[in-house]
Amino acid sequence: MNTEEFYMLCHSTDLYKSVEQKNSDITGGYITRDEINLIEEWEGVERVMISGLKQDTFDYFVQHHAHKFKAILFWKNKLVEDWSSLSTLKDVEFIGYFHNQRITEMWDMTGNHALKGLSISDFTRLHSLDGIQKAPALERLHFGDAVWPASVLDDLKPLEGSRLKEFTFSGKKIKDEDLSVFTTMPNLEVINSPTNHSLHNGAACVAGGQAPTRRRLRVEALHSIREPR
């Protein structure tokens, strides 16, 4: 998965087949198990977008259907509190999750052997990426905001020693901006952040101070991370 593919999966909903729901509204609405089960009629679909999940229907979808897809975009499932069932998805390559108000910690990612891209957007209560370092294949990570300026990280320590090639931050702030963690990431190629964020200038300094023998790190301007459309 390269940068362009990752960006498209994060932001282009046209790439996905949506699970139709009768009770849909601007907040996500809600979806039933019967509506989720219509997935059984699909053929040849690799990317799915789903909205309106509560905790029970989230776990039901993951247990019975999510394993069928390479890419999953969870769209406005704000009331899900526990996403630990995602740990069972061995073959999914990309997970995007837009807008949540309940989740407070990462899931156990040790079993996500194929997961290469992860986008976490507009989460109001998730302030730590602890667990990311356990993801065996994760290469590209986005954390931040698409609509509401609410995403805050405590620090970047969970990234230490990770296999990430690309890290994008578009959130409100990082409380502890110790950027030395980037020097411990041997595969890191790209850091994306808005030019008006202190992370951008700090990361540029880290990149400028690299040893000549190290893989060259690029710091790129992130002009906007928009709500998926």
Side-chain angles (χ1 to χ4, degrees):
M1 181 180 297
N2 60 36
T3 294
E4 183 177 357
E5 291 169 337
F6 178 64
Y7 187 87
M8 294 295 290
L9 288 170
C10 289
H11 304 295
S12 297
T13 57
D14 291 344
L15 296 177
Y16 298 85
K17 183 176 177 64
S18 296
V19 184
E20 294 185 8
Q21 59 187 104
K22 181 178 179 181
N23 295 286
S24 178
D25 57 39
I26 194 171
T27 67
Y30 68 89
I31 194 168
T32 66
R33 293 192 179 193
D34 286 342
E35 289 171 326
I36 294 172
N37 284 337
L38 292 177
I39 291 174
E40 295 173 0
E41 301 176 4
W42 295 3
E43 293 184 4
V45 178
E46 295 186 341
R47 296 180 292 269
V48 62
M49 182 172 70
I50 188 165
S51 305
L53 295 167
K54 306 298 189 289
Q55 189 63 55
D56 61 332
T57 46
F58 176 86
D59 289 332
Y60 181 82
F61 166 74
V62 173
Q63 180 181 357
H64 294 280
H65 297 288
H67 66 277
K68 303 171 184 177
F69 305 102
K70 291 185 177 180
I72 303 170
L73 181 58
F74 293 98
W75 169 264
K76 293 185 178 181
N77 302 281
K78 63 181 181 179
L79 299 181
V80 173
E81 298 182 8
D82 179 1
W83 55 355
S84 60
S85 58
L86 294 177
S87 64
T88 63
L89 301 179
K90 298 180 180 180
D91 299 318
V92 67
E93 297 177 5
F94 172 84
I95 293 174
Y97 202 123
F98 169 66
H99 189 38
N100 182 271
Q101 299 174 340
R102 302 287 179 85
I103 291 170
T104 60
E105 61 183 9
M106 297 298 299
W107 74 91
D108 181 358
M109 305 179 74
T110 55
N112 301 124
H113 300 294
L115 186 65
K116 296 180 181 179
L118 173 63
S119 176
I120 302 170
S121 185
D122 293 80
F123 274 50
T124 59
R125 298 184 63 192
L126 179 65
H127 304 306
S128 173
L129 293 174
D130 189 33
I132 286 289
Q133 64 273 34
K134 298 179 182 179
L138 191 65
E139 296 178 345
R140 306 190 189 278
L141 170 66
H142 163 245
F143 181 92
D145 298 317
V147 178
W148 302 277
S151 299
V152 175
L153 283 178
D154 291 332
D155 55 51
L156 297 174
K157 292 179 182 177
L159 303 183
E160 185 173 359
S162 72
R163 300 175 178 85
L164 288 180
K165 293 182 178 180
E166 180 174 352
F167 175 64
T168 298
F169 181 81
S170 63
K172 184 177 181 180
K173 67 178 179 178
I174 302 170
K175 291 181 179 179
D176 179 358
E177 288 193 346
D178 179 1
L179 305 185
S180 62
V181 64
F182 294 137
T183 66
T184 72
M185 301 165 66
N187 298 333
L188 189 63
E189 299 173 354
V190 182
I191 301 171
N192 294 303
S193 68
T195 55
N196 62 352
H197 197 287
S198 56
L199 174 63
H200 183 82
N201 292 331
C205 291
V206 171
Q210 295 177 104
T213 55
R214 192 191 188 283
R215 182 193 300 269
R216 200 64 192 167
L217 175 62
R218 305 194 315 274
V219 179
E220 299 186 349
L222 186 69
H223 299 292
S224 67
I225 285 288
R226 64 182 184 275
E227 178 181 358
R229 58 179 177 81

